[in-house]
Amino acid sequence: MHADSGKRLGDAHPRQEGPVDLRLVPPALAAWATAAFTLDASPGLVGGLVIGCLAAAVILLVVRRGSARNAPVTPGPWRTGPRVNPEVVDGGAVSSTRGKGASGGTVARADGAGSAGRCGAAPGGTVAELDGAGTVGRRTVWRRVTVAASLLCVGAAAASAGLHGADLRRGPVPALAGRYASVTAEVELTSDPRLTRPRVRGDHVMPDSVMIEAEVRRVETVHRTVVATRTPVLLIVDARSRRGDAGRHPGHDGRREYGGARGPEGRPEAPWLALLPSTRLRVAGRLVPAMARGDRFAAVLRVRGRAAPAVVGRPSGAQRTAGRLRAGLRAATDGLPADARALLPGLVVGDTSRITPELDEAFKETDLAHTLAVSGSNLTIILALLLGPPGLAQQVERRGLAPRLGVSLRVSAVLGGALTLGFVVVCRPDPSVLRAAACGAIVLLALATGRRRSLVPALATAVLLLVLYDPWLARSYGFLLSVLATGALLTLAPRWSAALRRRRVPPRLAEALAAAGAAQALCAPVVAVLSARVSLVAVPCNLLVEFAVAPATVLGFAVLATAPAAMPVAEALAWCAGWPAGWIAGVARTGAALPGAGIDWPGSWVGALLLAVVTAVVVVSGRRLSRHPWLCVVCGALLLLVVVRPPPLTRVLTGWPPPGWRLAMCDVGQGDATVLAAGGGVGVVVDAGPDPALVDRCLRTLGITRVPLVVLTHFHADHVAGLPGVLRGREVGAVETTGFEEPVEQVEFVRKEARARNVPVVRAVAGERRRVGALEWEVLWPPPPPAPEPEGPNDASVTLLVRSAGLRMLLLGDLEPPAQRALSRSPAAALVRGVEVLKVAHHGSAYQDPDLIRAVAPRLALISCGADNPYGHPAPSTVAALRKGGAVVLRTDRDGALAVVGGGGDGGGGGLRVARD
């Protein structure tokens, strides 16, 4: 092909017509499905499947040989067709012959699958093709060959999956895990350490843990029995620390960073997080069964204590080099703004250790999370610099640095292979990285041998080889999404792009729209299974970040390469890369902040099938709508309204929030978050709940854009951990807290979040009165010094008496009986009698003072609690006591978010009613 061009470097645009070669797709899919189902199958079933597939394949191949030997070659009528290149290679098999005809000396090609017939010439100097009777027989033979190949791949996949599954059952580790045995083991790390995301359980944040994938090489039981083995386990290090460290939250600037990085001095996790893959450790811990059946780990090895890891074997040289490169990238980005500083290592090498939970959630809401996982796009961008842009997929790559430097195709392929290998080592062999590297290697091999670069067979071959090499990839959602996205770009995107260009859409815009739409169409059902949510802003957000990904990635790799040798140059490059990286993070945050950014969807495979059907209907309808521009404009405007959800329109359509609402209790799970209306778009927030995303969503649906005051009744995590969600994208005047500053780690968290946004923190004082518009409130508790110190944070809760449009509402925080009795005896007792609305203390727990409930005698009692919480909130006794006093009891675990509407009476609260979201 290259030699026929008459040019030293080959023709830039050779003619390579022909249908897409799909012959490798059935074997790849068959192997994938087989591996997924046989990983935990019994040895007998696996053996029977392998033998049966081999026998069936042999029979088909024998029949094929007999058919090929007896197949007649009967010439048929001549057909003429367009001139093709005389050496067309399809899927790696040459299917042409050379010959000279009578008219023009052109080439005749037989119409057979990979087999040439008699050559002749057609009039006019065109290519003559034979359509003989032997063609049908040969096609039948090729179908048998394809089936036989699929059976062989099924057998190979079953054998590989059976062997990998046996690794989980072999050796002493599974039995020891079943007995929850304490062991001393020598393990080899197979992944980077990663820190678990902070989780709120009850009123505290669970301590951080370090998770590392590893293989147990030697295990020693308490009886001093030492056994050599090779069993995959998940290593969980509970680096429990001093008081004040256990409930650590990540800061606003993302400085909760590690994953093979240097951590802050004094943190017990830091030595573990600095470890590299291939390091060997000696650890003591307890083996427990794997978390889920069908997991790729035979057991979980839990290591407790603050001791540094005992290293018995250094990591390999390649891993040490990769670690230094990754550390240099992090060091060069230290001076960037928070979002760019967190995002750039993720874009370049998949290092997400600096990504805060808030930013991570924004990327998931907008379906931009794929930019944080190193994938084929990263490798494509780097290879494009060397070989040319991927838009030349059906042509010989004659752009990029290689042809401009006079480098031949074969040398370019070798350089590309070396670059691919380094890419895998530095970025770690995650599923998307392996898939990209395998595809790239196959394409480079085709390039080096001068054959046609057909990407669909390359993708199928990559899937087949990877599933045979590591059958656990067959059950990986990341691998599935990577293959689906790549397949969409290779099959659907070109057709959609051509259709858009036919409708006069500019070519670059058509390509971008088609790529984003095709990937979203195929990946959205799988994403819905994982997140139970469908993003409505995914396509526009992906379009907005597309032009920034390439420069950020290229500059990021330049930082990676230059940091070890010239840090000032690397820092300058990082500053340049920070601009596109910051843009990407800004798009994610802005898209996630839109009220209609996504809709809830059934998180099951039935829901995925339903979404696939809906997507197909939308695509078919879109083709018809594209003929009517005005209808397209109307549909676009309706989608924009759904995403933006202007509060007046939303109120009309959904009834939420109801007109004239005075108090709203958000549904934030097992925690508290209450909003007091203070005018259009203005509200006072009392507590923030345990989850930033939930409270942020609640405030968005209420249309709250300005918060004069955030009152945090006390510092338990189920009341303060959601503070970043309240501060996100809103004008906040101040944060007011109790004077009892425990737990210390939550106090530090609140101060850090407020300081990051220049929001002052003040202390609530009993007797304090404030007013915003028609809303006014008074602080009743805790009493000022020299009052006795409370028994705990709950009894120091800030208690508010709120007045709004004739309604009196009492918010008790988490006060427990001692403080409730003290409040009943205080001068404020007279103020709380006969209120209209009561926010029941401590999620409706059984610890209530009956005298206070009788004195308050509310008409409406609201309880904030999580569904199926392990604490039994609300207690039946508390609910019964409230109802006995004449209160209507509503609770967020059953009724969802609640909004109180009423007023107009002189203290009577006339017309009191409640709306549910």
Side-chain angles (χ1 to χ4, degrees), residues 784-885:
E789 185 173 287
E791 295 183 4
N794 284 344
D795 279 346
S797 294
V798 176
T799 300
L800 304 177
L801 178 64
V802 181
R803 298 178 178 86
S804 178
L807 283 178
R808 292 191 307 140
M809 299 171 281
L810 180 62
L811 281 61
L812 289 176
D814 273 4
L815 289 186
E816 294 189 349
Q820 291 181 19
R821 285 192 290 269
L823 178 63
S824 299
R825 295 192 295 267
S826 71
L831 301 175
V832 301
R833 296 183 182 277
V835 300
E836 281 71 47
V837 181
L838 171 67
K839 201 289 294 184
V840 182
H842 204 184
H843 318 292
S845 74
Y847 301 104
Q848 309 287 337
D849 179 42
D851 294 335
L852 181 63
I853 292 178
R854 285 192 291 269
V856 173
R859 296 171 56 191
L860 176 65
L862 305 179
I863 300 174
S864 179
C865 58
D868 302 321
N869 66 82
Y871 311 102
H873 295 163
S877 59
T878 299
V879 174
L882 290 166
R883 287 174 175 165
K884 184 178 180 180

Side-chain angles (χ1 to χ4, degrees), residues 224 242 327 399 415 424 450:
R224 302 297 180 184
R242 300 179 300 272
R399 298 184 186 175
L415 293 176
V424 173

Side-chain angles (χ1 to χ4, degrees), residues 521-536:
L522 289 192
C523 294
V526 180
V527 174
V529 173
L530 299 175
S531 62
R533 192 168 176 81
V534 176
S535 175
L536 299 181

Side-chain angles (χ1 to χ4, degrees), residues 527-691:
V527 174
V529 173
L530 299 175
S531 62
R533 192 168 176 81
V534 176
S535 175
L536 299 181
V537 298
V539 172
C541 286
N542 275 277
L543 288 174
L544 289 172
V545 305
E546 183 178 5
F547 73 91
V549 170
T553 303
V554 172
L555 289 170
F557 272 103
V559 174
L560 185 77
T562 57
M567 183 58 71
V569 176
E571 290 175 344
L573 291 171
W575 181 84
C576 296
W579 289 94
W583 167 263
I584 295 171
V587 169
R589 289 188 183 277
T590 303
L594 293 172
I599 57 175
D600 294 332
W601 197 267
S604 63
W605 287 111
V606 175
L609 179 61
L610 177 61
L611 181 57
V613 172
V614 171
T615 303
V617 171
V618 170
V619 170
V620 173
S621 303
R623 293 181 61 183
R624 297 183 178 180
L625 285 175
S626 62
R627 304 168 189 167
H628 307 283
W630 287 108
L631 285 178
C632 294
V633 172
V634 171
C635 291
L638 290 176
L639 179 61
L640 182 63
L641 290 175
V642 170
V643 171
V644 177
R645 291 187 187 178
L649 179 62
T650 304
R651 184 178 293 116
V652 171
L653 295 178
T654 66
W656 182 268
W661 67 276
R662 302 299 172 188
L663 175 147
M665 178 172 280
C666 299
D667 183 9
V668 292
Q670 186 63 19
D672 268 1
T674 306
V675 186
L676 305 172
V682 182
V684 173
V685 178
V686 182
D687 288 325
D691 190 332

